[in-house]
């Protein structure tokens, strides 16, 4: 994008940063958001049983998730979420509508592999969808799906090698060695004029003190799990509508409806549990909730799946006024969390700021 903008307009990041960055935001994030909402609306129309439920899910998608919060900055999570949405849309066409054309295997394979290349933990979705498609359409999966995945992985690894002369991502070089020359790419110094600037990620005692508390990592794993779920960076405390998505997953698995939603519910549940387990098992320094950010951004790529899981619960709330009021309250606080950062999503969540204000956090 930058190459094309520079050649067509003559703008450069050095001399025209506002024009270049805003143009890239418009060209990238707006089409991606539209794609997510468009495909979700088709799934909602297909699986939803009430107008109230359909409107509720689309309102949540439009205003209540951190994908819209991060639409004002260039980031990989929004792109990965769009890839997840496309791949899952293909799965819905195969497992719910019974379509058996090879193109759906191609789409699911391509976009689930792209999601992994853009946001590595999304490889969980690739694995689970791959097994499901292998069971449903074994021939097409082996002859079309597998080569497509191999091609995407090859491009991802190849471009990484071109950039870094290694097939491993930079994160793999975060702990080994004492500095970047000895293997730790996150420990370095560089000079600008007479000023020497040191890496923010140095691990000596003085550097660790200068880091924000979030970036030092949560020492207590139990506290990390607590705050990741229902605490100051909690999935359910910041976005309480996901409680209904959890209920929706269970409904998909146990409700006897036609067509059966069990395959969709199983994929969403398995991928979600796998992602949570992975991040909750990380070492102390990596237990940072996604860093200085307005929400638990490690889980943003899962948002399209959770929006689909919300459909049965939204329909459940349509039958009486009390349930509607309850779901509107959950939606209100979800929208509040997504809207709180305004123009800069790289800020702490409102729950974290509130806890800091009342001195509830451990120093």
């Amino acid at each position: 994008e930058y190459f094309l903008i520079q050649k067509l307009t003559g703008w450069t990041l050095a001399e025209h940063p506002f024009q270049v960055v805003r143009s890239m935001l418009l060209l990238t994030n707006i089409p991606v958001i539209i794609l997510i909402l468009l495909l979700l609306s088709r799934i909602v129309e297909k699986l939803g049983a009430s107008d109230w439920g359909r409107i509720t899910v689309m309102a949540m998608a439009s205003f209540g998730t951190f994908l819209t919060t991060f639409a004002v900055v260039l980031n990989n999570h929004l792109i990965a979420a769009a890839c997840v949405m496309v791949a899952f849309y293909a799965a819905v066409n195969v497992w719910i509508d019974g379509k058996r054309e090879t193109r759906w295997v191609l789409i699911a394979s391509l976009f689930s592999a792209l999601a992994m290349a853009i946001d590595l933990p999304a490889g969980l979705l690739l694995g689970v969808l791959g097994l499901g498609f292998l069971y449903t359409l074994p021939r097409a999966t082996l002859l079309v799906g597998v080569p497509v995945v191999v091609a995407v992985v090859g491009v991802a690894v190849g471009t990484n090698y071109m950039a870094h002369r290694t097939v491993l991502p930079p994160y793999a070089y975060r702990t080994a060695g004492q500095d970047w020359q000895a293997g730790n790419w996150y420990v370095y110094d560089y000079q600008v004029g007479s000023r020497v600037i040191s890496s923010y990620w140095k691990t000596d005692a003085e550097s660790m003190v200068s880091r924000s508390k979030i970036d030092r990592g949560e020492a207590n794993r139990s506290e990390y799990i607590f705050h990741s779920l229902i605490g100051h960076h909690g999935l359910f405390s910041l976005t309480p509508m996901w409680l209904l998505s959890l209920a929706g997953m269970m409904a998909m698995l146990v409700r006897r409806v036609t067509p059966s939603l069990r395959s969709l519910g199983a994929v969403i549940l398995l991928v979600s549990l796998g992602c949570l387990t992975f991040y909750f098992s990380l070492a102390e320094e990596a237990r940072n909730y996604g860093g200085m950010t307005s929400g638990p951004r490690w889980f943003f790529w899962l948002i399209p799946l959770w929006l689909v899981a919300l459909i049965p619960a939204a329909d459940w709330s349509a039958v009486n006024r009390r349930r509607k009021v309850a779901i509107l309250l959950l939606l209100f606080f979800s929208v509040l969390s997504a809207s709180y950062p305004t123009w800069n999503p790289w800020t702490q969540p409102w729950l974290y700021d509130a806890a800091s204000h009342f001195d509830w956090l451990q120093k």
Side-chain angles (χ1 to χ4, degrees):
E1 281 180 336
Y2 176 50
F3 174 83
L4 293 175
I5 290 172
Q6 195 274 326
K7 293 300 181 183
L8 292 173
T9 66
W11 294 340
T12 66
L13 275 171
E15 298 178 0
H16 308 87
F18 184 91
Q19 293 93 324
V20 170
V21 173
R22 295 310 188 274
S23 297
M24 292 180 70
L25 280 172
L26 291 172
L27 292 170
T28 305
N29 289 1
I30 289 181
V32 166
I33 287 287
I34 291 173
L35 177 63
I36 292 173
L37 294 177
L38 177 62
L39 295 183
L40 178 66
S41 69
R42 292 187 176 184
I43 295 175
V44 167
E45 285 293 336
K46 191 188 306 289
L47 303 183
S50 67
D51 288 341
W52 165 265
R54 295 185 182 102
I55 293 171
T56 298
V57 174
M58 293 309 299
M60 176 61 185
S62 301
F63 305 108
T65 82
F66 286 106
L67 292 182
T68 50
T69 309
F70 271 74
V72 300
V73 294
L74 292 171
N75 66 95
N76 64 309
H77 308 294
L78 183 59
I79 312 298
C83 292
V84 169
M85 187 78 264
V86 175
F88 202 70
Y89 179 72
V92 170
N93 277 272
V94 171
W95 293 334
I96 302 302
D97 290 345
K99 296 180 180 179
R100 293 296 183 263
E101 295 91 344
T102 303
R103 63 190 174 105
W104 295 113
V105 177
L106 173 64
I107 292 171
S109 303
L110 175 61
F111 283 92
S112 57
L114 284 172
M116 180 184 68
I118 295 167
D119 209 336
L120 195 56
L124 289 165
L125 179 68
L126 173 63
V128 174
L129 279 186
L131 291 175
F133 272 75
L134 189 61
Y135 177 80
T136 307
L137 296 167
R139 180 180 176 84
T141 301
L142 291 174
L143 296 180
V144 177
V146 172
V148 167
V149 172
V150 171
V152 173
V153 172
V155 172
V157 172
T159 51
N160 194 77
Y161 184 83
M162 290 170 64
H164 306 297
R165 291 297 180 266
T166 173
V167 297
L168 298 176
Y171 269 113
Y173 298 93
R174 185 166 183 168
T175 56
Q178 299 300 313
D179 55 36
W180 68 272
Q181 292 176 315
N184 191 336
W185 293 7
Y186 284 75
V187 178
Y188 55 83
D189 297 296
Y190 65 97
Q191 189 167 341
V192 178
S194 59
R195 181 186 176 196
V196 176
I197 300 175
S198 295
S199 166
Y200 175 78
W201 300 106
K202 284 188 174 183
T203 54
D204 58 275
E206 182 179 352
S207 298
M208 290 297 289
V209 170
S210 66
R211 280 196 207 180
S212 69
K213 185 176 185 297
I214 286 290
D215 288 329
R216 294 177 217 160
E218 179 60 66
N220 188 300
R221 191 182 304 275
S222 298
E223 288 188 20
Y224 183 64
I225 295 174
F226 173 84
H227 286 297
S228 294
L229 295 177
I230 57 175
H232 52 64
H233 278 73
L235 288 171
F236 302 120
S237 50
L238 289 174
T239 312
M241 285 288 279
W242 297 148
L243 290 169
L244 295 179
S245 293
L246 182 60
M249 293 180 213
M250 299 300 106
M252 286 181 169
L253 292 174
V254 301
R255 285 177 59 191
R256 295 183 178 180
V257 295
T258 303
S260 175
L261 304 181
R262 288 179 181 174
S263 55
L264 302 184
V267 169
I268 298 171
L269 183 61
L270 287 173
V271 172
S272 300
L273 288 176
C275 188
L276 289 169
T277 302
F278 171 76
Y279 279 108
F280 291 164
S281 65
L282 293 177
E284 178 179 337
E285 188 178 6
R287 297 198 292 262
N288 63 359
Y289 310 99
M292 183 70 72
T293 176
S294 53
R297 67 186 180 97
W298 301 140
F299 308 115
F300 287 175
W301 64 272
L302 290 163
I303 288 175
L305 304 182
W306 294 342
L307 288 169
V308 174
L310 184 60
I311 297 172
D315 285 332
W316 167 85
S317 72
V319 297
N320 66 57
R321 183 170 298 179
R322 288 184 179 180
R323 293 180 184 180
K324 288 182 178 180
V325 171
I327 204 170
L328 286 175
L329 285 173
L330 297 180
L331 178 60
F332 170 80
F333 283 104
S334 299
V335 173
L336 171 65
S337 298
S339 305
Y340 179 76
T342 60
W343 296 108
N344 180 18
W346 303 109
T347 58
Q348 296 291 11
W350 70 271
L351 281 176
Y352 187 94
D353 285 345
S356 299
H357 174 76
F358 291 108
D359 201 26
W360 293 340
L361 297 178
Q362 182 180 356
K363 301 296 184 182

